[in-house]
Amino acid sequence: MTMKGFGNKDKITEKSTKNFFKNIDKDKLISNAYVLISDGKIKEAEKIYNFLIKNKIYDPRIFNNLGNIYLQLKQFDKAILLFEESIKKFPNSMEPYTNLANLLTNRGKKDIAKKFLNRAIELNPKYLRAYSNLAGIYVGERNFKKAELYLRKSLEINPKDINSLVNLACVLRDLDNPKQAEIFLRNALEINPEYDFALINLGAVLNELGQIDEGEHYLKKALKINPNSPISINNLGNILTKKNKIKEAELCYRKAIQIKPDFSLAYNNLGSLLSKKGNLFDAEKFTKEAINYNPKFELAYVNLGSIKIDLDKLSEAEELFLNAIEIKKNYNYAYTNLFRLYEKTNNLNKLKRTIDSLNNNSNIINEILMYKARIAFREKDYISAKKSIDKVSYEWISKTDHHTNILFWSFKAFIEEKNKNYDQAFECFEKSQLNLKYNDYDPKIFQDYIKTYRKNLDNEEYIDKNKSINSFESSPIFLIGFPRSGTTLLDTILRSHPEIDVLEEKPLINSVEQIIKIKYNYSLDELDKLNEKEIEFLRKHYLQILKNNSDKDKNAKILIDKFPFQTVSLPLINLLFPNSKIIFTHRNPYDTVLSCFQQSFEPNNAMSNFRNIESASEIYNLTMNMWSDYKTKLNIKFITSKYEDLIENFDNQILKILNFLDVSWNESIKNYRDTAYKRVKINTPSSSQVVQPLYKTSIEKWRNYEKYFKNSHKYLDKWIRYFDY
């Protein structure tokens, strides 16, 4: 029977509805209300349900459906009353339990919601929706084990439930089990090969498993189905990042944000990418946006903290790590970054207090043991250090984040060395060099960079130009040499003088090189082509950024640019500042090479030469050849500082350097350890060493590893003679 007035725009009156009751049954009215809802005529359906209730025509569908209408109208209090009334009148009807639970969950009343969902399961142990909703609550609480339990139960009931398959895969990813996640996602795609949500997640899982080409294939398939899916575009960006297709990855993240302006995950990923590119200010900005749109995004807090460290905003970094821990009490990644910050900044007392307060936290026991070992090592209690480091779980080591893994092997290597287990130490040092970031760099690029500079010395036009450049009054001092040859120690000593400021490893000369290559379109072996106007521009540019990076409060008379590998840039330095003074540090070549191999440097093309003893020896030989040639062919004013002499005869060596700089002796020089402690951050691996008293244990240390130098004598022996060792 077709009822006039339903399904059209005619107004339904109470009188007309009463007449209908004479001719129609309850089921028909409910059915017609369904039709109205499907046609978008919610208000008309609402009137039918309210009239039925008013006339005491009760049915669980009436209360439940009217409750859902109020949900759509965002009248949540009314919806709650309807669902509660339905449960009261029809306690064996399951739907109101799940609907009420969803509302309560959204209002933060998760414990009460769980009770209603469990009651629905008691009524019908095969009620899939209740299991799914319970899993959703536990995911929100980050209780992934419980979520996994309920999703597996739902799949026992219906192994072909595609949503449960994909949701379980997502939970397994969060439980660091991507291999099992892959299985469930492939099962979901067998049911529906075009299910884009499964395709997106499979692409992400395969990326985690290192199967990036296949992962890219599935993500592109998902994008064919939905070209404007922000999560697909974001995940494709992750894969392109791994493939080192940085520009394409950045475009993906930006496009995802354009489509979904509140997409916190894409903001965070873009921030991480920009941070790796060295664009720290934009990285900071975008990672802040990730937190702005998701204040509970714990990973973004840690990533922003890491960026703040690079920006020397250490107190802000500490606060961000603590915020991440507040959001997620057992967030291992935040703890390791916090511990690392305290250790790197020589704040051992705070590190100890923090670890002592966490001693009973079994969730981060391996992180605690690792840093207890480091504290004991720093305090020269090498036996206790070894006991702690040996208790760290090797299963944890294999699963922890890559940065922590590298740091663990570095810590262990130095501990084994102090316990005179040199072969074990060497194995650990080798593992500490397995930084995956090195895949993005090529040692040959830096070798070619050195050789390119060297070509200037064979160019008579360059030599003539170099000789004709007039002296320049405001010339900085350059502290150069080779990494791990004592430059950081000398830097710390000299900056203790009230008239001296040292800029530590800022890429100032590199900035000049970029202008030469990009603005003037010259190679670094074509320095002779620079005219006087261009040289003057480059000189002013350098001095401006030198001033910008100096300590304004100290207002020192002398500025020293300390960057060991700028040894190879001397043809450019000498062209810009022909009367600049050069301090060249050196140390036993074998000890220098060993120390370079033992450090976990931040990867770049130069540092990629230090991953084994032989390649480190080769780049040492190449660099020292440059120094020898530059000394002969360039008119440079220099003094050498021998590390071993500095250790043996501190006052004489420093006085010699101060005289060279035309600076008088100052007793503050001897308090250089206080200077080191007061520094916000030391940007080299020497941060833990320069705060110690002068020690001789690093002299001739290479003898403990002599057998590993069998292929390096051809590179190093001549420098032993050259530097008179």
Side-chain angles (χ1 to χ4, degrees):
M1 175 180 176
T2 304
M3 296 167 50
K4 188 178 178 183
F6 282 81
N8 59 38
K9 294 182 181 179
D10 294 341
K11 193 168 183 180
I12 300 171
T13 64
E14 189 173 325
K15 183 178 178 182
S16 64
T17 308
K18 278 183 179 177
N19 290 332
F20 291 137
F21 276 120
K22 296 176 182 178
N23 303 309
I24 195 164
D25 61 25
K26 173 186 68 175
D27 289 337
K28 190 68 176 176
L29 276 171
I30 293 171
S31 176
N32 275 282
Y34 268 132
V35 172
L36 288 167
I37 291 170
S38 63
D39 287 344
K41 297 172 182 176
I42 294 171
K43 285 285 186 183
E44 294 180 11
E46 176 194 0
K47 287 180 180 178
I48 293 177
Y49 288 133
N50 272 322
F51 190 81
L52 288 169
I53 292 171
K54 187 176 179 181
N55 284 275
K56 297 184 180 180
I57 310 293
Y58 298 143
D59 184 288
R61 292 170 296 173
I62 296 170
F63 289 98
N64 195 61
N65 293 350
L66 184 56
N68 284 328
I69 284 173
Y70 287 134
L71 271 180
Q72 289 185 57
L73 296 172
K74 297 187 177 180
Q75 297 177 26
F76 301 120
D77 289 336
K78 284 186 178 181
I80 287 173
L81 289 173
L82 264 296
F83 295 138
E84 286 177 341
E85 190 65 21
S86 183
I87 289 169
K88 184 178 175 182
K89 285 186 165 55
F90 304 98
N92 294 325
S93 176
M94 294 171 296
E95 287 249 344
Y97 289 99
T98 52
N99 289 336
L100 180 57
N102 287 345
L103 262 173
L104 293 170
T105 299
N106 291 335
R107 291 194 163 193
K109 299 178 179 180
K110 294 178 182 178
D111 290 336
I112 302 172
K114 288 176 196 171
K115 289 178 182 177
F116 282 114
L117 290 168
N118 281 313
R119 176 60 183 148
I121 289 170
E122 285 174 16
L123 292 170
N124 182 359
K126 293 189 175 183
Y127 186 29
L128 284 175
R129 188 180 168 204
Y131 288 108
S132 177
N133 289 7
L134 269 169
I137 291 173
Y138 284 116
V139 166
E141 294 178 341
R142 307 196 68 81
N143 188 341
F144 298 117
K145 282 288 183 187
K146 277 272 191 179
E148 179 188 6
L149 174 71
Y150 283 104
L151 286 166
R152 286 188 183 277
K153 282 184 177 179
S154 70
L155 286 170
E156 285 174 14
I157 297 162
N158 181 7
K160 300 291 185 182
D161 181 26
I162 194 166
N163 288 320
S164 293
L165 286 166
V166 177
N167 289 337
L168 179 56
C170 293
V171 166
L172 289 167
R173 277 186 70 197
D174 286 318
L175 287 168
D176 296 322
N177 196 345
K179 287 187 178 179
Q180 270 209 322
E182 179 189 1
I183 293 168
F184 286 103
L185 289 166
R186 290 191 186 277
N187 289 344
L189 288 170
E190 281 183 17
I191 297 167
N192 181 2
E194 302 298 311
Y195 188 29
D196 61 337
F197 190 47
L199 290 166
I200 292 165
N201 280 282
L202 183 55
V205 164
L206 291 169
N207 181 27
E208 288 177 29
L209 292 170
Q211 298 164 234
I212 55 177
D213 289 333
E214 192 179 4
E216 185 177 7
H217 163 76
Y218 282 105
L219 283 169
K220 285 182 175 177
K221 190 173 180 182
L223 283 166
K224 280 184 181 178
I225 297 166
N226 183 0
N228 291 314
S229 163
I231 188 67
S232 297
I233 296 166
N234 172 78
N235 289 359
L236 181 59
N238 293 342
I239 282 182
L240 292 169
T241 299
K242 262 195 178 175
K243 287 188 159 190
N244 206 29
K245 296 180 178 179
I246 304 302
K247 287 183 180 178
E248 295 96 321
E250 184 178 342
L251 287 172
C252 282
Y253 296 138
R254 290 185 184 276
K255 185 177 178 183
I257 290 166
Q258 187 180 6
I259 296 167
K260 183 175 167 56
D262 63 346
F263 194 8
S264 59
L265 186 61
Y267 281 109
N268 178 67
N269 290 338
L270 179 57
S272 294
L273 184 74
L274 293 171
S275 175
K276 288 171 188 171
K277 286 175 67 177
N279 186 350
L280 296 176
F281 294 104
D282 281 346
E284 181 183 28
K285 180 182 77 174
F286 285 109
T287 314
K288 277 182 178 177
E289 285 294 287
I291 293 169
N292 180 44
Y293 288 114
N294 182 3
K296 297 291 185 183
F297 193 178
E298 68 273 13
L299 175 60
Y301 282 94
V302 177
N303 287 347
L304 183 56
S306 298
I307 292 165
K308 296 283 190 183
I309 289 174
D310 290 335
L311 290 168
D312 292 339
K313 300 176 182 178
L314 301 190
S315 59
E316 292 180 40
E318 178 186 8
E319 186 179 349
L320 286 159
F321 297 147
L322 291 170
N323 286 342
I325 290 165
E326 191 175 333
I327 294 166
K328 186 178 177 183
K329 298 294 182 194
N330 296 316
Y331 191 22
N332 305 57
Y333 189 47
Y335 280 110
T336 53
N337 277 276
L338 181 65
F339 296 164
R340 187 180 300 143
L341 172 64
Y342 291 154
E343 195 272 336
K344 183 71 175 170
T345 55
N346 296 309
N347 203 335
L348 294 189
N349 287 331
K350 188 173 271 191
L351 177 58
K352 277 191 220 175
R353 288 197 302 271
T354 306
I355 285 177
D356 287 344
S357 71
L358 297 164
N359 259 340
N360 297 322
N361 191 332
S362 60
N363 292 288
I364 56 167
I365 187 61
N366 291 293
E367 290 85 352
I368 289 170
L369 286 167
M370 177 173 158
Y371 278 89
K372 272 189 172 182
R374 184 61 176 175
I375 291 168
F377 173 84
R378 294 280 302 268
E379 294 177 339
K380 304 188 187 310
D381 184 356
Y382 304 125
I383 293 173
S384 294
K386 182 163 171 55
K387 283 180 181 176
S388 292
I389 205 82
D390 285 347
K391 288 178 185 175
V392 175
S393 161
Y394 275 74
E395 183 181 356
W396 171 81
I397 295 162
S398 66
K399 290 183 178 179
T400 190
D401 69 278
H402 189 61
H403 195 167
T404 303
N405 178 287
I406 295 297
L407 206 56
F408 168 83
W409 290 114
S410 178
F411 286 180
K412 182 170 172 58
F414 283 110
I415 290 169
E416 294 291 359
E417 179 180 83
K418 287 298 184 182
N419 283 281
K420 300 185 178 180
N421 302 320
Y422 299 115
D423 287 338
Q424 293 96 314
F426 195 86
E427 286 179 17
C428 292
F429 283 125
E430 286 183 315
K431 289 178 180 177
S432 75
Q433 292 294 346
L434 299 177
N435 194 327
L436 294 176
K437 289 183 183 178
Y438 276 121
N439 294 336
D440 299 335
Y441 298 102
D442 182 356
K444 191 174 182 301
I445 291 174
F446 187 71
Q447 294 164 20
D448 290 342
Y449 166 79
I450 296 174
K451 292 170 185 175
T452 299
Y453 258 124
R454 172 63 181 78
K455 290 177 184 177
N456 287 290
L457 298 192
D458 298 324
N459 185 336
E460 289 300 325
E461 291 182 11
Y462 165 79
I463 298 297
D464 291 341
K465 181 180 287 287
N466 183 257
K467 288 177 180 177
S468 66
I469 295 291
N470 294 323
S471 295
F472 188 78
E473 285 185 14
S474 303
S475 292
I477 313 298
F478 291 89
L479 175 52
I480 60 174
F482 195 83
R484 309 301 299 164
S485 62
T487 51
T488 302
L489 174 60
L490 189 56
D491 156 4
T492 307
I493 294 167
L494 292 175
R495 74 169 64 231
S496 302
H497 196 291
E499 295 182 30
I500 298 173
D501 186 22
V502 183
L503 279 74
E504 185 188 37
E505 304 200 11
K506 302 286 186 184
L508 309 186
I509 287 295
N510 179 257
S511 172
V512 175
E513 291 171 345
Q514 294 307 308
I515 294 173
I516 292 170
K517 289 188 280 190
I518 296 169
K519 182 175 181 177
Y520 298 142
N521 202 27
Y522 300 144
S523 169
L524 293 177
D525 60 352
E526 297 177 315
L527 298 180
D528 63 294
K529 293 183 179 179
L530 291 166
N531 60 42
E532 287 185 18
K533 186 178 178 181
E534 290 166 342
I535 290 171
E536 181 65 16
F537 176 85
L538 295 171
R539 184 183 290 137
K540 286 181 178 178
H541 168 81
Y542 174 88
L543 290 172
Q544 185 60 53
I545 56 176
L546 178 74
K547 183 181 177 182
N548 292 344
N549 282 277
S550 64
D551 186 342
K552 308 296 186 300
D553 295 329
K554 190 171 185 179
N555 194 25
K557 169 184 165 185
I558 291 176
L559 295 180
I560 298 178
D561 180 353
K562 173 242 176 177
F563 206 124
F565 261 142
Q566 282 180 178
T567 300
V568 302
S569 312
L570 277 173
L572 175 58
I573 291 169
N574 196 226
L575 189 65
L576 296 179
F577 304 105
N579 59 326
S580 185
K581 294 178 180 179
I582 308 294
I583 305 170
F584 178 83
T585 67
H586 66 89
R587 174 187 180 189
N588 183 306
Y590 282 88
D591 283 334
T592 304
V593 164
L594 174 65
S595 189
C596 286
F597 165 68
Q598 289 180 327
Q599 306 310 312
S600 299
F601 290 107
E602 184 61 28
N604 58 39
N605 291 324
M607 298 303 111
S608 63
N609 287 276
F610 295 150
R611 299 185 73 191
N612 62 68
I613 293 288
E614 186 174 1
S615 63
S617 301
E618 187 175 1
I619 201 71
Y620 180 91
N621 176 52
L622 184 58
T623 305
M624 291 306 119
N625 277 327
M626 296 304 102
W627 168 246
S628 177
D629 287 347
Y630 294 159
K631 275 173 57 182
T632 304
K633 297 196 174 187
L634 297 177
N635 184 26
I636 54 176
K637 299 174 184 177
F638 71 92
I639 189 172
T640 59
S641 174
K642 188 174 183 177
Y643 172 78
E644 292 81 0
D645 288 349
L646 183 59
I647 301 298
E648 294 284 352
N649 199 338
F650 179 89
D651 286 11
N652 282 354
Q653 280 295 303
I654 295 301
L655 185 58
K656 183 177 77 169
I657 293 169
L658 292 178
N659 287 337
F660 174 71
L661 299 177
D662 295 321
V663 178
S664 59
W665 176 270
N666 188 290
E667 281 301 308
S668 61
I669 286 284
K670 289 190 173 181
N671 298 322
Y672 73 91
R673 290 175 63 211
D674 293 338
T675 302
Y677 272 116
K678 289 174 185 175
R679 291 174 67 182
V680 175
K681 187 181 68 166
I682 297 171
N683 294 312
T684 75
S686 305
S687 58
S688 65
Q689 296 165 332
V690 295
V691 296
Q692 299 179 33
L694 294 178
Y695 54 90
K696 299 180 181 180
T697 54
S698 61
I699 297 175
E700 291 286 315
K701 189 169 77 167
W702 76 276
R703 297 282 182 192
N704 300 315
Y705 301 94
E706 192 164 358
K707 66 182 180 181
Y708 299 105
F709 281 87
K710 62 182 180 181
N711 296 323
S712 297
H713 300 303
K714 60 188 175 185
Y715 298 118
L716 302 180
D717 282 353
K718 66 178 178 180
W719 301 111
I720 288 284
R721 296 187 294 273
Y722 182 88
F723 290 117
D724 194 23
Y725 282 99

